Amino acid sequence: MRLAVFCSGYGSNFQALADAVRRRKLRAEIVLLVSDNPASFAVRRAVRAGIPVCLISPKLFESRAEWERLIVRVLRSQGVDLVVLAGFMRILTPYFIGAYRGKIVNIHPSYLPAFKGAHAIRDAFEAGVRETGVTVHHVTNELDSGAVILQKKVKVRRGDTLASLEKRIHAVEHRLYPAAIRKLLSKRAR
Ligand code: GRF
């Protein structure tokens, strides 16, 4: 399977996926890192890992759809068959989701459907819940709502700070994302 990973920021999930591929824990190839943000540390990680980068600022375009049309062309030229969103901070339009229907996945730092949205860890922490989690799901037109591929609960410990909870959630993410993609791979092989 040929993956394109989309990142806007730090890229620790991208790194976890790249490491899993390198260690042969994930029988896939990351053919492209797509980013909308030149300051994204994920871009540096990709360069270091020798993974080609597609870095195009949406600001160069009149509309989001125009940026997406170009990205779809790039993905097709590279034979990408799974789009992996990993901290990609833009909402994709129905055009893009239609172009890769059923082939876009995302990781979200909560046990969905609880705590959708951009501040899921903080929202869960502030709500005082006893457990939250991580979800890998298919992407549909409705935000954080597609079918779940894998989920894992994470307990909120007494004495946890937002930072300590974030750290544990990210550690779970780094294992769950490769596992979820392995699950998709094994389904496809059947
Ligand atoms: C992760 O918490 C992921 O669940 C969310 O954005 C964050 C990205 O972190 N969608 P990183 O860039 O992979 O370090």
Side-chain angles (χ1 to χ4, degrees):
M1 188 146 54
R2 292 171 68 79
L3 317 181
V5 183
F6 282 41
C7 295
S8 301
Y10 187 53
S12 66
N13 280 286
F14 164 69
Q15 189 71 60
L17 290 166
D19 291 346
V21 169
R22 189 169 41 84
R23 295 186 187 126
R24 300 183 189 282
K25 299 257 156 72
L26 183 58
R27 300 270 173 194
E29 194 186 342
I30 302 178
V31 296
L32 209 56
L33 181 272
V34 175
S35 186
D36 56 334
N37 175 16
S40 163
F41 190 60
V43 170
R44 280 211 253 164
R45 294 180 190 270
V47 170
R48 211 190 293 149
I51 293 170
V53 174
C54 172
L55 173 59
I56 306 172
S57 169
K59 290 183 194 141
L60 298 171
F61 300 86
E62 301 236 316
S63 69
R64 209 157 23 131
E66 257 182 79
W67 179 84
E68 288 184 349
R69 270 197 288 276
L70 182 59
I71 299 295
V72 165
R73 259 199 281 158
V74 173
L75 298 181
R76 288 195 174 137
S77 76
Q78 299 305 307
V80 167
D81 41 25
L82 186 70
V83 171
V84 179
L85 307 182
F88 187 64
M89 299 313 286
R90 284 174 193 277
I91 294 173
L92 296 166
T93 71
Y95 157 71
F96 187 95
I97 292 170
Y100 272 86
R101 190 171 301 288
K103 296 176 181 166
I104 312 174
V105 296
N106 182 43
I107 187 158
H108 184 78
S110 78
Y111 202 87
L112 287 172
F115 303 109
K116 295 179 181 180
H119 307 288
I121 306 178
R122 195 184 66 198
D123 292 346
F125 184 73
E126 285 176 357
V129 292
R130 293 170 68 173
E131 57 183 18
T132 175
V134 175
T135 304
V136 178
H137 63 94
H138 288 283
V139 172
T140 59
N141 290 331
E142 208 184 320
L143 190 69
D144 299 333
S145 299
V148 169
I149 301 162
L150 267 188
Q151 276 184 306
K152 192 162 171 54
K153 288 189 174 154
V154 176
K155 284 211 167 11
V156 181
R157 295 182 188 150
R158 213 174 297 158
D160 250 339
T161 60
L162 177 57
S164 64
L165 179 62
E166 274 172 348
K167 199 168 163 202
R168 274 205 324 287
I169 287 185
H170 291 318
V172 170
E173 288 187 320
H174 300 159
R175 292 191 299 273
L176 201 72
Y177 220 173
I181 294 175
R182 267 197 301 273
K183 188 174 171 191
L184 288 181
L185 277 171
S186 70
K187 258 196 195 162
R188 261 190 212 190
R190 263 186 260 142

